[in-house]
Amino acid sequence: MTAEPVIDQQGTPGAVALPATVRASLSPSRAADFKTCPLLYRFRSIDRLPERPTVEQARGTLVHAVLERLFDLPSTGRTPDAAGDLVAPQWDRLVTEQPELAGLFDPGDEVGTAEFLRSAAALLQGYFAVEDPRRLEPAERESLISAVVDDELLIRGYLDRLDVAPDGALRVVDYKTGGAPREAFEARALFQLKFYALVLWRTRGVVPRVLRLLYLKDAEVCDYSPDADELLRFERTVVALWRAIEQATARQDFRPRPSRLCDWCSHQALCPSFGGTPPPFPDSSAAADPLRDARSGPVTPGADE
């Protein structure tokens, strides 16, 4: 079974309108939030609480931007020096587009900014240790893909990169700027890639041959090959997860699930596990459009690493 690519009401050229039966949307990041901690899902997707970007997230965003622009160059020009030359201009562009990033460093802190840029350039060296971009011609970069499952749920996400072989085989590539993870973190990363694989299978009728994680800090590659039966089971998992989210929303009951990931959470002050009190549940009449994910654009790289 395949499905047409779909989008929300905002519209995207080349895509078709959402089927009338669709009433909810889910991204891999929001799905992973609920799996990790239902209260975190509430804070991000229902309360829409702001989160100040961290240096690590900003570095991830910058590295992703450089790698995307690197493939705009002719193949022979995709060198480590060329990537390094893109770092500062891409940072300037990001700060212009996302002014909150400028607050990561004190005004006039040229030393801190320079060290930040050097650390991003170092991660790019890790990329060149595992791939030669001169030999690659990605089919898609930072591409929004989407599909409808169970007739009612729109699933979607942004691919870092999609490679298509001459025989039509697909390889989904995701850049990770953190170190190669422990088991719990790797499972979260693979969940994200299986989400993308499911969308591609449902929209293009092809199961991706390889799901590839590139860990730039450690210059490591993690490849995984799913099959149709596994993606069918995963689809059932995603639908069941969304039904659990709907039940929690109806009951206004999103409980914290403490774990090691709490150390990176921006909302400890509001979490009962840390002595906090969540804000009042938003009035249903003022609730956000369920077809719009809390992050309607690409997920901030680094947030899930």
Side-chain angles (χ1 to χ4, degrees), residues 113-127:
T113 303
E115 177 55 36
F116 169 77
L117 297 179
R118 281 194 294 270
S119 68
L123 288 172
L124 292 168
Q125 295 300 315
Y127 168 73

Side-chain angles (χ1 to χ4, degrees), residues 230-250:
E230 180 180 11
L231 293 184
L232 184 60
R233 293 191 299 270
F234 185 78
E235 182 178 62
R236 295 183 185 130
T237 297
V238 170
V239 171
L241 186 64
W242 176 249
R243 289 174 180 163
I245 291 172
E246 285 195 312
Q247 291 177 1
T249 303

Side-chain angles (χ1 to χ4, degrees), residues 6-18 144 156 158 292 296:
V6 290
I7 52 153
D8 60 24
Q9 293 90 336
Q10 297 178 16
T12 296
V16 300
L18 275 177
L144 174 64
R156 59 185 175 185
Y158 279 83
R292 293 192 62 201
S296 56

Side-chain angles (χ1 to χ4, degrees), residues 26-36 38 41 153 191 195 234-248 257:
L26 191 63
S27 70
S29 294
R30 295 292 73 79
D33 283 346
F34 189 81
K35 282 169 54 69
T36 299
Y41 173 90
L153 179 63
F191 178 89
F195 204 101
F234 185 78
E235 182 178 62
R236 295 183 185 130
T237 297
V238 170
V239 171
L241 186 64
W242 176 249
R243 289 174 180 163
I245 291 172
E246 285 195 312
Q247 291 177 1
R257 185 176 297 150

Side-chain angles (χ1 to χ4, degrees), residues 72-296:
D72 289 336
L73 301 175
S75 59
T76 55
R78 299 169 194 162
T79 64
D81 287 344
D85 290 341
L86 289 169
V87 172
Q90 286 304 305
W91 178 243
D92 291 340
R93 178 183 66 82
L94 290 170
V95 170
T96 299
E97 295 175 355
Q98 304 174 44
E100 66 274 14
L101 294 177
L104 290 172
F105 304 101
D106 294 331
D109 183 7
E110 297 181 1
V111 173
T113 303
E115 177 55 36
F116 169 77
L117 297 179
R118 281 194 294 270
S119 68
L123 288 172
L124 292 168
Q125 295 300 315
Y127 168 73
F128 282 92
V130 295
E131 275 195 340
D132 183 354
R134 296 173 299 179
R135 303 177 63 183
L136 299 169
E137 291 297 340
E140 299 178 29
R141 290 171 281 145
E142 289 295 334
S143 176
L144 174 64
I145 58 172
S146 56
V148 172
V149 296
D150 199 41
D151 295 325
E152 296 182 328
L153 179 63
L154 172 69
I155 59 173
R156 59 185 175 185
Y158 279 83
L159 298 172
D160 283 352
R161 199 180 87 212
L162 180 66
D163 300 333
V164 180
D167 64 357
L170 305 181
R171 179 172 64 192
V172 179
V173 180
D174 196 66
Y175 307 123
K176 295 298 181 185
T177 52
R182 295 184 293 273
E183 182 176 353
F185 292 83
E186 183 171 323
R188 182 182 175 98
L190 284 175
F191 178 89
Q192 178 184 5
L193 290 188
K194 289 179 184 179
F195 204 101
Y196 299 150
L198 173 60
V199 173
L200 292 168
W201 180 43
R202 286 306 189 200
T203 56
R204 308 187 190 193
V206 178
V207 174
R209 182 177 295 172
V210 176
L211 307 179
R212 172 165 292 180
L213 292 160
L214 298 183
Y215 291 101
L216 309 187
K217 182 179 180 181
D218 296 328
E220 291 188 15
V221 178
C222 174
D223 281 347
Y224 185 82
S225 296
D227 58 36
D229 288 341
E230 180 180 11
L231 293 184
L232 184 60
R233 293 191 299 270
F234 185 78
E235 182 178 62
R236 295 183 185 130
T237 297
V238 170
V239 171
L241 186 64
W242 176 249
R243 289 174 180 163
I245 291 172
E246 285 195 312
Q247 291 177 1
T249 303
R251 298 170 182 166
Q252 299 186 6
D253 183 14
F254 290 86
R255 301 182 185 183
R257 185 176 297 150
S259 72
R260 291 173 294 174
L261 295 173
C262 293
D263 293 341
W264 289 271
C265 183
S266 301
H267 308 296
Q268 290 185 8
L270 298 174
C271 179
S273 296
F274 293 87
T277 301
F281 203 85
D283 181 77
S284 59
S285 63
D289 181 353
L291 291 180
R292 293 192 62 201
D293 191 90
R295 288 171 175 165
S296 56

